[in-house]
């Protein structure tokens, strides 16, 4: 029975390494997925973005011309006492604030933020723009105490998101996005001030201005990557109109490019991997839309279009589909995934990026594993579309690709006895004879699991394995392998295969 449990384990999503009953496997799978998601979030590098003025090319301030605290004090004094040249002084201040020391001097200076907020809310449009530019420079600071000092300005930044100027709105969005990672206090204040509905309205109102949509999605992604996001932020987002807005932007724009779709796809990924059931996202068609876009991108890659950073969109889409598949009820899977070309597109992506981006190829076979673990129809599609031979050819590749390929083949073998015969006809037995000789213990154990499922399912498969001299490979493992391999190989030999050897020997005896 240990083999049957193992087989069921292989047919499911990525769970723990030990068998058990089905409920235990599901629990272990959930625990392992939670640990993987936490590790992924811990490793995620939260980025900040600095928008340059149109007349600038380089954002850096050279060391020999970097301003000091005296420049800050002087500029603040001029802003307090001059009228006609405030715009020029604000522009100079924004450049001075690129110096980390100047940023600290500014927030420590009495009434400096009050003065900047006053200019931000004044009647002069150009002064408002330059005041936001100063706040933007401050938000880009590496000092964690700078963002909280900017909190007096955040209600106005949020209000301006509904303004008519796209350039001004974009600058406000990136400023808010830069402030989000630095402080729990900042995030809590922004949530209380209504940043989630403000972002939803912004994407809706500016849906045809993709630069603003990209900036809004960037800001949202900064919020969703917070450690406390699953508890404090994601429930609010799921109850808002943001998920539907994000899904509506997924289709890349041929003129503007992929950037807005990439940002929205990452937001969806953070939402999906931080919740367990994803009912809301499934109901809104997240799985269907993400998988359909993957099919389109797979077709583009097959035709040779791998330019313009298309892989930057493929990556988050793969994670969206792979993670949501693990939470989609099996009875709903066929209704959610209506495009039968998905397996072929995934296989095309594996082949396209196998040598140039092996990590992306590994991510793709992980999605294919999750897809076949839940669906007999898609296992059948791999056989019907003759995609299995291409997967078998990948078994010599390392970097985690070959072990995941074995999981996919195990999923197929587990679904139906007829599939095992088809796998044999496609050459899987000879491939397993090769993987049984590998030094990788996980590869050998998974190969033994598949071999068990195939030989038990059909006497034809068992006899063919014996004819291919597979028994000698098992005998080697029986006496020289690790304990787990010895147990499996002994069980296969004694309980299933030796009788077929005797039968074949009798059939091959010459007539008297």
């Amino acid at each position: 029975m240990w083999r049957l449990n193992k087989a069921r384990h292989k047919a499911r999503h990525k769970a723990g390494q030990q068998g058990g009953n089905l409920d235990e496997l599901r629990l272990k799978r959930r625990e392992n997925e939670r640990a993987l998601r936490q590790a992924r979030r811990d490793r995620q590098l939260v980025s900040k973005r600095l928008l340059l003025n149109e007349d600038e090319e380089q954002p850096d301030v050279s060391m020999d011309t970097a301003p000091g605290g005296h420049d800050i004090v002087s500029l603040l004094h001029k802003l307090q006492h001059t009228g006609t040249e405030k715009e020029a002084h604000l522009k100079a201040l924004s450049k001075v604030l690129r110096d980390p020391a100047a940023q600290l001097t500014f927030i420590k200076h009495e009434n400096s933020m009050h003065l900047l907020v006053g200019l931000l809310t004044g009647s002069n449009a150009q002064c408002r723009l330059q005041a936001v530019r100063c706040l933007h420079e401050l938000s880009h600071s590496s000092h964690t105490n700078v963002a909280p000092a900017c909190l007096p300005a955040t209600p106005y930044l949020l209000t301006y998101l509904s303004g008519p100027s796209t350039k001004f709105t974009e600058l406000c969005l990136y400023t808010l996005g830069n402030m989000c990672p630095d402080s729990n206090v900042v995030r809590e204040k922004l949530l209380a001030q209504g940043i989630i509905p403000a972002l939803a309205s912004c994407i809706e109102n500016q849906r045809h201005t993709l630069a603003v949509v990209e900036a809004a999605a960037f800001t949202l992604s900064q919020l969703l990557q917070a450690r406390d996001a699953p508890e404090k932020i994601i429930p609010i987002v799921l109850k808002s109109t943001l998920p539907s807005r994000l899904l509506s932007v997924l289709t890349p724009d041929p003129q503007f490019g992929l950037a807005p779709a990439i940002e929205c796809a990452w937001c969806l990924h953070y939402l999906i991997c931080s919740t367990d059931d994803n009912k809301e996202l499934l109901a809104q068609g997240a799985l269907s839309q993400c998988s359909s876009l993957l099919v389109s991108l797979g077709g583009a890659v097959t035709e040779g279009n791998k330019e313009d950073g298309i892989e930057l969109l493929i990556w988050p889409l793969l994670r969206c589909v792979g993670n949501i598949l693990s939470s989609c009820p099996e009875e709903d899977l066929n209704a959610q995934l209506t495009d039968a070309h998905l397996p072929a597109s995934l296989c095309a992506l594996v082949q396209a990026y196998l040598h140039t981006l092996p990590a992306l190829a590994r991510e793709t076979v992980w999605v294919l594993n999750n897809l076949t673990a839940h669906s007999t129809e898609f296992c059948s599609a791999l056989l019907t579309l003759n995609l299995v031979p291409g997967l078998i050819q990948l078994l010599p590749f390392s970097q985690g690709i070959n072990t995941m390929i074995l999981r996919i083949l195990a999923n197929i073998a587990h679904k139906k006895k007829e599939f095992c015969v088809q796998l044999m006809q496609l050459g899987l037995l000879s491939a397993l004879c090769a993987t049984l000789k590998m030094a990788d213990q996980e590869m050998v154990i998974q190969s033994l699991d598949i071999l068990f499922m195939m030989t038990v399912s059909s006497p034809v498969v068992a006899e063919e394995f014996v004819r291919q001299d597979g028994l000698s490979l098992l005998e080697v493992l029986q006496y020289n392998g690790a304990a787990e391999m010895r147990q499996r190989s002994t069980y296969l030999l004694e309980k299933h295969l030796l009788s077929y050897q005797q039968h074949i020997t009798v059939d091959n005896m010459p007539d008297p």
Side-chain angles (χ1 to χ4, degrees), residues 195-228:
I195 189 172
I196 299 302
L199 290 174
S201 298
C202 184
I203 293 178
E204 168 62 18
N205 297 332
Q206 302 277 3
R207 59 187 179 278
H208 301 301
T209 310
L210 293 179
V212 173
V213 173
E214 178 187 355
F218 163 77
T219 302
L220 178 61
S221 72
Q222 298 287 79
L223 285 168
L224 296 177
Q225 291 176 72
R227 290 181 181 274
D228 57 356

Side-chain angles (χ1 to χ4, degrees), residues 165-343:
S165 170
T166 56
K167 178 181 177 182
F168 192 73
T169 302
E170 186 181 358
L171 197 55
C172 290
L173 284 166
Y174 281 115
T175 301
L176 290 165
N178 287 342
M179 292 172 62
C180 290
D182 287 337
S183 167
N184 289 333
V185 174
V186 172
R187 288 193 296 273
E188 289 176 2
K189 202 75 171 179
L190 288 172
L191 289 172
Q193 291 169 353
I195 189 172
I196 299 302
L199 290 174
S201 298
C202 184
I203 293 178
E204 168 62 18
N205 297 332
Q206 302 277 3
R207 59 187 179 278
H208 301 301
T209 310
L210 293 179
V212 173
V213 173
E214 178 187 355
F218 163 77
T219 302
L220 178 61
S221 72
Q222 298 287 79
L223 285 168
L224 296 177
Q225 291 176 72
R227 290 181 181 274
D228 57 356
E231 297 79 25
K232 296 183 178 181
I233 300 174
I234 288 176
I236 303 174
V237 173
L238 291 175
K239 291 178 181 178
S240 73
T241 59
L242 271 171
S244 61
R245 304 289 179 229
L246 295 172
L247 288 168
S248 68
V249 185
L250 273 188
T251 304
D253 183 86
Q255 294 181 342
F256 192 82
L258 301 173
I262 291 171
E263 291 293 349
C264 290
W266 279 114
C267 288
L268 288 167
H269 161 66
Y270 298 134
L271 290 173
I272 290 168
C273 73
S274 298
T275 53
D276 286 333
D277 54 29
N278 292 302
K279 289 181 180 178
E280 295 91 344
L281 292 170
L282 281 168
Q284 295 184 54
L287 179 56
S288 175
Q289 193 154 342
C290 289
S291 59
S292 295
L293 184 51
L294 270 180
V295 170
S296 299
L297 294 175
V301 169
T302 302
E303 295 173 358
N305 179 14
K306 292 198 289 185
E307 299 178 358
D308 300 324
I310 193 172
E311 75 279 356
L312 298 178
L313 178 57
I314 292 172
W315 211 298
L317 287 173
L318 286 171
R319 294 192 177 185
C320 287
V321 173
N323 281 315
I324 205 169
L325 277 172
S326 66
S327 59
C328 181
E330 295 183 32
E331 60 272 15
D332 297 339
L333 187 59
N334 291 332
Q336 290 283 338
L337 292 176
T338 56
D339 197 329
H341 295 94
L342 181 58

Side-chain angles (χ1 to χ4, degrees), residues 505-512:
T505 302
V506 171
D507 287 346
N508 293 336
M509 287 181 64
D511 293 332

Side-chain angles (χ1 to χ4, degrees), residues 115-122 127-128 131-132 135 153 156-157 160 168:
L115 174 62
L116 193 58
V117 170
L119 294 166
L120 175 66
T121 57
C127 283
R128 288 201 301 270
V132 172
L135 288 165
Y156 306 102
L157 294 175
Y160 288 143
F168 192 73

Side-chain angles (χ1 to χ4, degrees), residues 75-90:
L75 287 169
L76 288 174
H77 179 77
K78 291 176 182 178
L79 286 169
Q80 285 176 317
H81 296 92
T82 60
T84 58
E85 298 180 355
K86 283 186 178 180
E87 181 185 344
H89 295 324
L90 280 168

Side-chain angles (χ1 to χ4, degrees), residues 11-242:
R12 301 295 297 177
H13 184 54
K14 292 163 61 176
Q17 292 300 310
Q18 298 300 321
N21 62 47
L22 196 56
D23 291 335
E24 291 174 343
L25 289 173
R26 285 173 175 162
L27 178 60
K28 289 180 180 180
R29 183 189 70 185
R30 289 291 186 195
E31 291 172 349
N32 189 48
E33 286 172 358
R34 192 174 294 110
L36 289 173
R37 291 168 184 166
Q38 185 62 52
R40 188 180 296 129
R41 285 197 295 272
D42 291 345
R43 291 195 304 270
Q44 179 68 45
L45 298 178
V46 178
S47 61
K48 293 190 176 187
R49 296 188 186 177
L50 181 64
L51 297 186
L52 298 179
N53 288 321
E54 293 178 353
D55 57 348
E56 293 180 298
E57 293 183 357
Q58 297 296 330
D60 297 327
V61 178
S62 61
M63 293 300 293
D64 56 343
T65 60
H70 176 73
D71 301 273
I72 292 290
V73 175
S74 174
L75 287 169
L76 288 174
H77 179 77
K78 291 176 182 178
L79 286 169
Q80 285 176 317
H81 296 92
T82 60
T84 58
E85 298 180 355
K86 283 186 178 180
E87 181 185 344
H89 295 324
L90 280 168
K91 193 170 184 179
L93 178 62
S94 69
K95 293 182 178 179
V96 170
L97 287 174
R98 290 179 182 168
D99 176 46
Q103 294 165 356
L104 294 177
T105 301
F106 178 86
I107 64 172
K108 291 176 182 178
H109 194 277
E110 187 177 2
N111 292 326
S112 60
M113 190 57 65
H114 177 75
L115 174 62
L116 193 58
V117 170
L119 294 166
L120 175 66
T121 57
S123 59
N124 188 316
Q126 288 302 313
C127 283
R128 288 201 301 270
L129 179 61
Q130 293 303 325
V132 172
R133 166 61 64 181
C134 293
L135 288 165
H136 185 62
E137 298 290 348
L138 288 169
S139 74
H140 199 258
S141 174
S142 59
H143 298 293
T144 56
N145 56 337
V146 173
C150 298
L151 278 173
T154 54
Y156 306 102
L157 294 175
L158 290 170
T159 300
Y160 288 143
L161 296 187
S162 58
S165 170
T166 56
K167 178 181 177 182
F168 192 73
T169 302
E170 186 181 358
L171 197 55
C172 290
L173 284 166
Y174 281 115
T175 301
L176 290 165
N178 287 342
M179 292 172 62
C180 290
D182 287 337
S183 167
N184 289 333
V185 174
V186 172
R187 288 193 296 273
E188 289 176 2
K189 202 75 171 179
L190 288 172
L191 289 172
Q193 291 169 353
I195 189 172
I196 299 302
L199 290 174
S201 298
C202 184
I203 293 178
E204 168 62 18
N205 297 332
Q206 302 277 3
R207 59 187 179 278
H208 301 301
T209 310
L210 293 179
V212 173
V213 173
E214 178 187 355
F218 163 77
T219 302
L220 178 61
S221 72
Q222 298 287 79
L223 285 168
L224 296 177
Q225 291 176 72
R227 290 181 181 274
D228 57 356
E231 297 79 25
K232 296 183 178 181
I233 300 174
I234 288 176
I236 303 174
V237 173
L238 291 175
K239 291 178 181 178
S240 73
T241 59
L242 271 171

